[in-house]
Amino acid sequence: MLLFFPVLFPTQLQAEVKRVVIIKLDGVPENVLERELARIDPLTHKSTLPWMDHVFAQGGTRLDNFYVRAISLSTPSWSLLDTGQHLEIHGNAEFDRYTYHVYDYMNFFPFYVGYARSLRVDMPGVEVLDSLGIPLLIDYFPYAATYQSFQIFQRGVRWKTLQDALPSRLSHSLRELLDEWTIGFEIGSAVEDQTERELIAKLADPSVQYLDYFTGDFDHIAHAASDAASQRLALQRIDALIGRVWTAIESSALAAQTVLIAVSDHGMNTQPGVYSQGYNLLQFFSSRAGGGHHVVTNRHPLDEYKLSGLDPFVSEVVTPSDESLYLKGQAGDYPTALLDPDGNERASVYLRNSDFNALQILLLQINRPALGGTAGKESDPAIRRAAIAAFFQIVDRHRDEWSSTVRELSDELAALRRAMEQRRSEIKSQPKKWTRAQRDAGLDKASRRLSVELDSWREQERDYSAYLSALSKLLDLEPAEFDRRRLTAGDLIPKRAMGDANSVFDLQNYIVGPAPSDSLDFERINYPKLLSGLSVRNNVQPGVSSRPVDFIAMRIPDHAIWLYADEDHQALILSHPGELRYLAIRGLRQDAAGAIHYDVAPLAPGFPLRLFEDENLHVPDTNREEWFSAWHSELDWLHATHETTYSNAIIALDEQFLEPAAPSGSNLLARFNHRRRRLAEPDFLIFANDHWNFNVRNFNPGGNHGSFLRASTHSILLFAGGADTGVPRHFEIREPYDSLSFVPTILDLMGRHAEAAKLPGRPIQELLPGPTARHSSSASHTTCCAATSSTQAPQDFR
């Protein structure tokens, strides 16, 4: 057998991949692709997508069950696919709670202009990953051996591509150029066409090992239209692209050693005949009932979509509330809610720390004129003394926490200043001019990154220092200071800052204004309960729920994620190393001391994710209650749930709320960057019910994504390879995999096993050389789901 083994399996043993070509398809769902692949064109009697059928279905390998590991948004989804590392970026836009900085990951225009002015080198998402030391897949290859298209995680800009693409499209009148369809599609398609021409030309160069091409065409169409014909046309354009690229690969010198891959970042919750309904969360949070917040978004809302809405350089828009209970006219200095509704089946919500609200309201009480008095006179002495005492009770409650923040952040900023001095010296030593060979090696861009990072450090040092200064004033304040001078919010409350994240107690007792009575109490809102109860009265689609909110999710202490559907239907996703557990509960609350209490509930229909009642839940032939009472590995959860309505939501939620590991050792800069990532986390996420969306810029009627619904998380992954690559032909893999498997699989295919082994994802074994893995691909894996333990989580914990 040993003698005949190389003869029986020559391809597997001699597999060689020298080049990988990736077609990145934004938002293409597996079910729509399969629908169009199976559809026969009555004129040609072939598949509606003939090239994809020929290259991948007949000549390559398809994964039937490939899923977004985390939330089904473009930026976090592509970050998983581009790095193979656990999630660090959790939304399409993120906000820093201390400095108000907006991470606007999908806004290309400021990036291009900044690049032209030598102020930027890489897209914002790449800058964040670089600060954490996380490489992209493209970084595994020499700079000169790569070709990258325009995309979210983009390094550098090829001006020649833009120069060659745009002149023919810039002959429109001003009115035509202002039309968003002209800008979005005509210019965008011109750049894509030029990128394709360059990619095909690069295929003739055997030294190029990595090439990718990104298109968002299908995602744009599917957001706007749910009919099959429109989506078919978008897929047929992609199909023709794949045909042209495959033809170029086959005629290249590395045809036999090239692997072509088509992958999408997420699916799309789109259904013919159903409109995706929009609910305006911005309007809700601005309203009296929603708290009267001044709300910040990274784009203009729909009701302002005029010339101001066309400004491509906007990353921060404040929508003032006329119903604020204590901050009217102060939206610029004191916004109290940050909202990212992009996605659009979910929204991330940052609320100003509830105790910051209380301090500002108490300051108004302290400085309020006496009843019946005139402006400038003091308020009732007893009320004033009580307000001052209440003010210091809040400060004292946070004193240890705030003092620790001031001490630690001061050390980190001192380290940042030292790094800035070193960087200035490093920049001075860089060449003033670059040779052609140095540019071809990307050394000029590497040098410019040093300057860009230094500019970013200056901004961080300035903004965090301002926040520390305000916090230090609060800590140094003494009651007698109120008798010496009139102190206002501008003296003590950090402007344009949310402060620390709100706890469950804060959100269940959130302070939105002074109490209606003439007392020192506050008006409060229980946000989980209020949001879950939202409903509309004019629902025009009987098949769509009148309640836009599915559930709210947030991280709570002890490595748990709280899912709230209503008071009686809640769940905890509990985690400890290597295992997860779903626990149905009711009535979770947190007391003022920080202890969390809840009642364990018997499993029944209606709990978040609706797994218990889902007929596609695959668990062993035992009692479902017994299975849910145990801990299970990620793989067991994936096998059990991937075909349910919420697919891999248990794993995806754990990934979405995964606490980043604190850096080890005494590296203060690493600790500072870790802190900045934590400060970019929202208080909670709101997930929309099926066929609802929260996109206040443009309520996409065709379909949306952003949730954990299978329609949104089920993406595509297709492989086709030359004769020497070992990629199987006409092969389907039914075993479920997720985003973290993508990069290690590519590295393993290229023989870079040591690098692949350092990544957390599970390589797709069925694609890799070796007969055993191939034969296991079609086996059923539901027997893998046996319970591993029955550890009971405590009902009360801190």
Side-chain angles (χ1 to χ4, degrees):
M1 287 297 296
L2 290 175
L3 290 173
F4 282 101
F5 192 77
V7 178
L8 293 174
F9 303 104
T11 302
Q12 288 89 331
L13 294 180
Q14 299 172 18
E16 183 180 26
V17 177
K18 291 185 177 180
R19 179 163 61 192
V20 61
V21 182
I22 304 174
I23 308 296
K24 297 178 174 179
L25 307 173
D26 199 68
V28 176
E30 197 273 347
N31 64 320
V32 174
L33 177 66
E34 289 300 318
R35 181 188 74 198
E36 297 305 323
L37 273 175
R39 184 177 182 273
I40 302 300
D41 189 314
L43 297 177
T44 64
H45 304 292
K46 294 181 179 181
S47 168
T48 305
L49 306 175
W51 275 110
M52 297 184 80
D53 182 57
H54 169 70
V55 175
F56 296 117
Q58 305 303 321
T61 295
R62 291 186 289 171
L63 271 74
D64 292 339
N65 293 292
F66 186 67
Y67 299 93
V68 179
R69 181 175 174 86
I71 201 164
S72 55
L73 296 180
S74 292
T75 304
S77 296
W78 283 120
S79 77
L80 289 167
L81 292 168
D82 276 324
T83 67
Q85 300 278 11
H86 285 297
L87 209 60
E88 291 286 354
I89 295 174
H90 299 82
N92 286 342
E94 294 179 318
F95 302 88
D96 189 299
R97 298 189 65 93
Y98 284 4
T99 69
Y100 201 70
H101 175 77
V102 184
Y103 298 90
D104 196 0
Y105 296 116
M106 298 185 69
N107 196 346
F108 289 84
F109 291 97
F111 165 60
Y112 291 147
V113 173
Y115 187 93
R117 299 173 60 196
S118 298
L119 301 176
R120 301 289 290 273
V121 185
D122 307 307
M123 281 286 284
V126 178
E127 293 177 345
V128 169
L129 295 175
D130 282 350
S131 72
L132 301 168
I134 297 175
L136 302 172
L137 174 59
I138 193 173
D139 297 330
Y140 286 88
F141 303 90
Y143 177 82
T146 64
Y147 180 85
Q148 185 184 37
S149 66
F150 296 92
Q151 55 195 276
I152 296 173
F153 290 93
Q154 178 182 326
R155 286 202 180 279
V157 177
R158 292 186 313 280
W159 282 116
K160 190 175 186 308
T161 303
L162 294 174
Q163 290 170 351
D164 293 344
L166 296 183
S168 64
R169 303 287 180 165
L170 294 180
S171 58
H172 297 282
S173 66
L174 176 62
R175 181 174 180 177
E176 289 175 313
L177 285 176
L178 286 176
D179 182 79
E180 68 169 314
W181 290 90
T182 302
I183 292 175
F185 290 94
E186 287 202 23
I187 292 181
S189 64
V191 174
E192 286 190 353
D193 291 345
Q194 179 62 27
T195 303
E196 179 191 328
R197 287 190 287 271
E198 293 177 1
L199 181 142
I200 288 175
K202 285 285 185 180
L203 287 171
D205 183 353
S207 69
V208 179
Q209 305 169 36
Y210 173 94
L211 305 95
D212 70 26
Y213 178 96
F214 175 90
T215 173
D217 190 21
F218 182 88
D219 187 87
H220 294 155
I221 294 297
H223 275 307
S226 61
D227 64 287
S230 297
Q231 295 175 8
R232 181 178 304 126
L233 287 173
L235 282 178
Q236 286 175 329
R237 287 192 289 271
I238 292 170
D239 184 76
L241 163 71
I242 288 172
R244 293 189 293 271
V245 172
W246 182 250
T247 300
I249 289 173
E250 287 190 309
S251 63
S252 69
L254 291 181
Q257 294 89 33
T258 298
V259 171
L260 176 65
I261 303 168
V263 63
S264 65
D265 55 334
H266 52 71
M268 179 75 68
N269 189 8
T270 176
Q271 182 178 328
V274 178
Y275 290 93
S276 182
Q277 298 181 178
Y279 187 84
N280 195 327
L281 284 175
L282 188 153
Q283 191 176 74
F284 164 76
F285 281 110
S286 299
S287 71
R288 174 74 170 78
H293 292 278
H294 302 314
V295 184
V296 177
T297 55
N298 69 320
R299 294 290 183 274
H300 287 277
L302 186 64
D303 58 357
E304 297 179 17
Y305 199 72
K306 301 174 185 176
L307 284 179
S308 62
L310 291 174
D311 186 348
F313 300 98
V314 168
S315 289
E316 173 193 312
V317 178
V318 182
T319 301
S321 172
D322 294 331
E323 301 185 67
S324 174
L325 294 176
Y326 68 103
L327 288 172
K328 288 182 179 178
Q330 299 184 65
D333 287 338
Y334 291 108
T336 53
L338 311 176
L339 180 67
D340 170 28
D342 198 6
N344 313 98
E345 297 174 309
R346 79 87 182 91
S348 60
V349 181
Y350 306 68
L351 298 179
R352 189 166 74 152
N353 186 273
S354 183
D355 280 342
F356 272 11
N357 297 348
L359 290 174
Q360 196 155 356
I361 293 167
L362 288 170
L363 280 172
L364 294 175
Q365 291 279 15
I366 293 169
N367 295 322
R368 188 179 66 171
L371 291 176
T374 58
K377 291 187 177 181
E378 292 184 353
S379 61
D380 182 273
I383 294 178
R384 189 171 187 272
R385 285 195 302 271
I388 292 173
F391 186 97
F392 280 97
Q393 284 178 357
I394 294 173
V395 173
D396 289 340
R397 190 163 64 243
H398 290 278
R399 189 170 297 278
D400 289 345
E401 174 190 1
W402 289 349
S403 297
S404 177
T405 296
V406 170
R407 183 174 57 255
E408 292 177 0
L409 192 48
S410 295
D411 291 342
E412 292 161 12
L413 291 178
L416 184 65
R417 294 183 192 105
R418 292 192 294 272
M420 290 166 63
E421 286 301 318
Q422 294 174 1
R423 179 59 56 83
R424 291 187 186 100
S425 299
E426 189 177 359
I427 291 171
K428 288 180 181 178
S429 67
Q430 296 293 306
K432 300 297 185 257
K433 293 184 178 181
W434 300 92
T435 66
R436 177 63 180 270
Q438 289 172 325
R439 291 181 181 277
D440 289 344
L443 297 182
D444 59 325
K445 291 184 176 66
S447 176
R448 195 193 297 184
R449 286 188 181 96
L450 301 178
S451 299
V452 169
E453 188 171 41
L454 177 60
D455 290 340
S456 178
W457 285 349
R458 290 193 188 100
E459 179 184 342
Q460 293 164 22
E461 193 278 335
R462 181 190 69 240
D463 293 346
Y464 284 104
S465 294
Y467 182 80
L468 280 190
S469 176
L471 206 58
S472 297
K473 288 179 182 177
L474 271 176
L475 292 170
D476 294 340
L477 187 68
E478 296 182 356
E481 189 72 20
F482 283 106
D483 296 327
R484 289 194 289 268
R485 62 191 181 99
R486 189 177 188 271
L487 296 170
T488 64
D491 299 315
L492 298 172
I493 308 298
K495 293 182 178 180
R496 295 164 62 87
M498 297 293 107
D500 294 317
N502 290 286
S503 65
V504 173
F505 176 83
D506 293 332
L507 295 174
Q508 291 178 328
N509 302 272
Y510 190 82
I511 294 170
V512 295
S517 61
D518 187 30
S519 69
L520 294 181
D521 201 359
F522 305 104
E523 184 164 329
R524 301 171 187 267
I525 287 177
N526 183 336
Y527 271 111
K529 187 174 183 179
L530 178 63
L531 287 163
S532 70
L534 293 177
S535 63
V536 296
R537 287 179 289 181
N538 59 337
N539 192 355
V540 297
Q541 296 186 97
V544 178
S545 170
S546 61
R547 306 176 78 91
V549 175
D550 187 357
F551 63 91
I552 294 116
M554 66 179 292
R555 183 195 291 138
I556 63 174
D558 277 13
H559 307 290
I561 301 164
W562 179 36
L563 311 182
Y564 181 98
D566 57 47
E567 280 298 297
D568 293 323
H569 296 89
Q570 303 173 33
L572 293 177
I573 298 177
L574 307 171
S575 66
H576 62 228
E579 293 185 311
L580 298 168
R581 185 183 172 208
Y582 179 97
L583 181 66
I585 64 169
R586 63 166 65 97
L588 184 143
R589 67 195 186 283
Q590 185 177 35
D591 60 34
I596 288 181
H597 313 273
Y598 58 84
D599 298 320
V600 175
L603 272 169
F607 282 89
L609 309 183
R610 298 176 178 85
L611 292 172
F612 180 75
E613 62 266 37
D614 198 305
E615 62 182 13
N616 291 315
L617 178 70
H618 301 302
V619 298
D621 294 330
T622 56
N623 187 288
R624 286 195 174 197
E625 289 90 342
E626 181 181 340
W627 192 88
F628 273 99
S629 69
W631 292 80
H632 303 285
S633 69
E634 280 192 358
L635 191 55
D636 288 347
W637 275 108
L638 185 59
H639 288 146
T641 64
H642 73 89
E643 291 185 329
T644 66
T645 300
Y646 288 84
S647 63
N648 60 331
I650 296 291
I651 299 168
L653 278 160
D654 184 61
E655 181 73 37
Q656 183 69 25
F657 288 96
L658 185 70
E659 296 184 55
S664 57
S666 58
N667 189 328
L668 291 175
L669 277 183
R671 194 178 81 182
F672 176 59
N673 288 324
H674 174 262
R675 181 189 301 276
R676 292 173 60 228
R677 282 289 83 208
R678 290 298 302 269
L679 289 172
E681 296 177 4
D683 280 317
F684 57 90
L685 299 179
I686 307 173
F687 289 95
N689 258 319
D690 199 13
H691 299 300
W692 278 97
N693 77 86
F694 301 133
N695 183 12
V696 294
R697 188 188 182 198
N698 185 10
F699 292 112
N700 306 320
N704 286 279
H705 51 88
S707 71
F708 300 108
L709 294 168
R710 189 171 190 260
S712 297
T713 64
H714 196 184
S715 49
I716 68 166
L717 182 55
L718 313 169
F719 292 83
D724 297 342
T725 63
V727 174
R729 295 177 180 273
H730 193 54
F731 190 66
E732 290 188 33
I733 298 174
R734 295 202 295 271
E735 168 72 4
Y737 287 93
D738 64 34
S739 310
L740 283 185
S741 295
F742 184 68
V743 172
T745 300
I746 292 174
L747 294 176
D748 270 334
L749 281 170
M750 303 191 78
R752 308 176 73 156
H753 308 298
E755 292 163 313
K758 295 177 183 178
L759 298 174
R762 180 172 55 117
I764 302 170
Q765 295 298 325
E766 296 86 346
L767 272 171
L768 303 177
T772 304
R774 296 278 169 78
H775 294 158
S776 69
S777 64
S778 58
S780 171
H781 293 279
T782 56
T783 57
C784 296
C785 304
T788 56
S789 71
S790 57
T791 305
Q792 178 71 31
Q795 297 181 30
D796 297 285
F797 56 94
R798 293 290 297 271

